[in-house]
Amino acid sequence: LDAVISRVERGQANHNAEGAARVLSSALPALKAPPDAEALLDVMVPGILLISPCGEAFAAALQALVKLVGAAALCEATAPRLAEAVEAAGPSVARSLAPASLDALAPLLQQSATAAGQEQRRCLAKTYAEIFRRAEAASLQAHAVKLTGPLVRSLSDKPADVEMQVDVVAGLAVLLERAGAALRPLVPALQTAFIRLLEGAEELHETAAQALGHMATLVPKAEALVKALGKPPARAAFLMALEKVLATLAPSGLSTEVRKEANAALDNAEKEKDASIA
């Protein structure tokens, strides 16, 4: 395996890299002893960000490694490598990942969201939005629910890591934007998590408000969401989220019930403002 790995120029899509990745995906299932997983991840993780056919070949190799070793054993080593690879690729990374790339990454992302160490999770959180933005649409739809569940649970960790929460919510916002229909079963949990963040650190308010805006068309009863955001006392973060929600709903037309709750929220905010001035 060392000889095969040595043929790979990290992050470079060429015939040598593709051939090496295909050899790895064929050789790994036949191994009798555990491989040097970290050395393999050093080439596989940057490889899955490449355009096809290289990206596809490295995705197949990573899937073989996950099957052999298990996602739990790989998640902590994957996190810093993925963050570094995404940052290094920058704007040159393919607009869309190879279709199999998210298939290969999904079990590692799921495992890492709650099981990896704090530093690794913080590192990985910075990649969510970019990975989800570049993932192939059908693959993102297929994995959306399984990816979202662990991310939502991570938002309730104590003590709260505000910087990581901002990155996680940014990733969830991309999932809602690109794979929203698949996430309808998780809307109640998402709504509860985002509204709770509006009550938290100020750094979270704008990101949580934007995420609620992306979610607005998926809510079974939009008026209930508007009412929840308009509850007294009026708070700036809640009013910002209300603005995002109404902006999302407006193109399809606001229902009578939504207008009623929105007007009630605005009237209450005006009354509180007048009372504070008096």
Side-chain angles (χ1 to χ4, degrees), residues 1 39 50 67 71 75 153 219 278:
L1 291 182
L50 300 173
K67 186 174 181 180
C75 65
R153 289 195 294 275
V219 178

Side-chain angles (χ1 to χ4, degrees), residues 77-245:
T78 299
R81 288 168 172 81
L82 184 58
E84 182 182 347
V86 168
E87 183 177 359
S92 66
V93 72
R95 184 58 206 162
S96 293
L97 299 177
S101 291
L102 188 61
D103 297 342
L105 277 175
L108 295 167
L109 296 177
Q110 290 169 233
Q111 187 76 29
S112 300
T114 54
Q118 187 73 3
E119 193 58 41
Q120 288 79 12
R121 291 168 59 204
R122 185 183 295 116
C123 206
L124 196 61
K126 296 183 182 301
T127 73
Y128 291 140
E130 190 65 19
I131 293 293
F132 299 156
R133 193 175 291 118
R134 298 185 185 279
E136 194 267 340
S139 182
L140 192 64
Q141 289 276 348
H143 292 290
V145 171
K146 288 185 178 180
L147 289 168
T148 299
L151 293 182
V152 173
R153 289 195 294 275
S154 75
L155 291 173
S156 60
D157 286 351
K158 301 294 183 184
D161 183 325
V162 174
E163 183 180 348
M164 186 172 73
Q165 287 179 324
V166 170
D167 290 330
V168 169
V169 175
L172 288 170
V174 177
L175 279 171
L176 285 164
E177 185 179 8
R178 298 197 61 217
L183 296 178
R184 288 185 189 278
L186 296 180
V187 163
L190 286 163
Q191 179 174 319
T192 298
F194 294 153
I195 289 178
R196 186 180 296 123
L197 293 179
L198 292 175
E199 299 171 339
E202 186 176 350
E203 298 94 318
L204 291 161
H205 294 173
E206 185 173 357
T207 309
Q210 289 173 344
L212 283 163
H214 286 305
M215 194 188 73
T217 57
L218 305 175
V219 178
K221 292 186 177 182
E223 64 272 18
L225 173 58
V226 172
K227 183 176 182 178
L229 294 174
K231 281 183 179 178
R235 287 161 285 185
F238 280 66
L239 293 175
M240 175 169 56
L242 179 59
E243 180 184 0
K244 304 285 187 188
V245 167

Side-chain angles (χ1 to χ4, degrees), residues 47-72:
I48 62 172
L49 300 181
L50 300 173
I51 58 174
S52 292
C54 261
E56 292 276 357
F58 278 106
L62 182 58
Q63 285 178 308
L65 181 62
V66 171
K67 186 174 181 180
L68 179 67
V69 178

